[in-house]
Amino acid sequence: MASIVPYLIAFFFGAIVGSFLNVCIHRLPRHESVVWPASHCPSCASPIAVYDNIPILSYLLLGGRCRTCRTLISPRYPIIELANGVGYGLILWQFGLGWPSAAYALLFSALLVISAIDLSHQIIPDRITLPGIVLGLLCASMILPVGLLDSVLGVLVGGGLLWALAWASPYLFGREGMGGGDIKLLAMIGAFLGWKPVLLTIMVGALVGSVIGLGLIALKVMRRDQYLPFGPFLALGAVVSLFFYRELLTWYLGLIAGSR
């Protein structure tokens, strides 16, 4: 029983941080402060009491509604809290207790915020990615196993590949390619993970994004010319790279060796 306690603590801490992430997701696209005023209902502006701000649990107890005006609360709130809690628990399980896990937890939370904002508003805030690039480089130089050189290469390879694709898209495909937000997002991912995992990030993101996009078109949920945010797929690719890069690389090299 004692062995599960650290993971439960990581989960609850992650869920609490997830509550703050919801504030960021709501306010950053509106260029509002994430610190002031205190949490309040977006519909009636009533302050949210401490006992109504318990991650996940308060949403369930309130039936997904504001206590004051009874307006429905978006299910995004408990989803983000739950996802961040699970993410922190898995990071602790994979990397142990230490500064690298703290850095990866910051990256994971940033990816959650970016994904939610990109899905809702089709933007990726520079207020997250640009400081994230700097923070990734600093962490790589001091606490992350990736090392500073690999981190710098990750920024250049990640951001550079998407920049080249964005530049070439009008000539090759007759339409604009990746936005500047995607470029800076991938540069941030490269700063934390390095240049090899950032290539896997692109592969996973492009593959999953293509499958989901084609599926939505086939189901007539979206049109062929409609924009599908790419940020969440890059974030998914980054999480896959964070947890499974070495395993996937070993599997791939074994596949190549077996085919000879």
Side-chain angles (χ1 to χ4, degrees):
M1 180 64 182
S3 62
I4 201 174
V5 171
Y7 304 106
L8 291 175
I9 293 173
F11 171 81
F12 288 126
F13 178 69
I16 292 170
V17 174
S19 183
F20 173 71
L21 299 184
N22 278 316
V23 174
C24 297
I25 292 167
H26 179 76
R27 297 187 185 184
L28 284 178
R30 296 169 174 81
H31 305 285
E32 298 174 355
S33 170
V34 299
V35 179
W36 185 262
S39 297
H40 57 275
C41 174
S43 297
C44 66
S46 298
I48 298 177
V50 174
Y51 50 80
D52 284 338
N53 209 16
I54 303 171
I56 305 170
L57 183 61
S58 290
Y59 182 89
L60 297 175
L61 292 176
L62 291 169
R65 293 181 180 272
C66 170
R67 182 181 293 275
T68 304
C69 67
R70 306 306 297 167
T71 299
L72 284 172
I73 301 171
S74 171
R76 184 200 76 212
Y77 288 84
I79 290 172
I80 293 295
E81 293 163 353
L82 178 63
N84 204 59
V86 170
Y88 279 23
L90 290 176
I91 288 169
L92 178 62
W93 172 73
Q94 180 84 347
F95 302 103
L97 184 63
W99 288 113
S101 290
Y104 292 142
L106 284 173
L107 173 63
F108 185 87
S109 293
L111 293 173
L112 268 183
V113 174
I114 287 169
S115 297
I117 292 176
D118 199 18
L119 284 171
S120 300
H121 301 276
Q122 287 76 56
I123 57 172
I124 296 177
D126 289 348
R127 290 171 65 182
I128 298 177
T129 53
L130 294 181
I133 293 171
V134 176
L135 181 62
L137 290 169
L138 289 174
C139 289
S141 66
M142 295 185 290
I143 60 176
L144 290 178
V146 63
L148 181 58
L149 177 59
D150 206 348
S151 176
V152 171
L153 290 174
V155 173
L156 296 176
V157 171
L161 281 177
L162 285 197
W163 178 85
L165 181 60
W167 178 83
S169 288
Y171 303 99
L172 297 178
F173 309 113
R175 56 185 296 181
E176 291 187 4
M178 304 299 171
D182 295 317
I183 295 170
K184 284 170 273 193
L185 169 58
L186 198 58
M188 182 186 78
I189 293 169
F192 278 91
L193 302 184
W195 72 273
K196 292 179 182 177
V198 91
L199 293 177
L200 177 61
T201 296
I202 297 173
M203 291 174 59
V204 172
L207 176 62
V208 176
S210 299
V211 170
I212 291 181
L214 291 173
L216 292 175
I217 292 171
L219 294 172
K220 301 188 183 302
V221 175
M222 63 177 289
R223 301 186 308 274
R224 187 175 295 274
D225 60 345
Q226 199 169 345
Y227 175 74
L228 182 65
F230 192 47
F233 300 113
L234 288 177
L236 175 62
V239 172
V240 170
S241 297
L242 174 63
F243 285 107
F244 304 112
Y245 167 70
R246 295 188 183 280
E247 289 79 1
L248 289 173
L249 179 63
T250 301
W251 169 79
Y252 180 69
L253 292 176
L255 196 65
I256 293 176
S259 63
R260 291 178 178 175

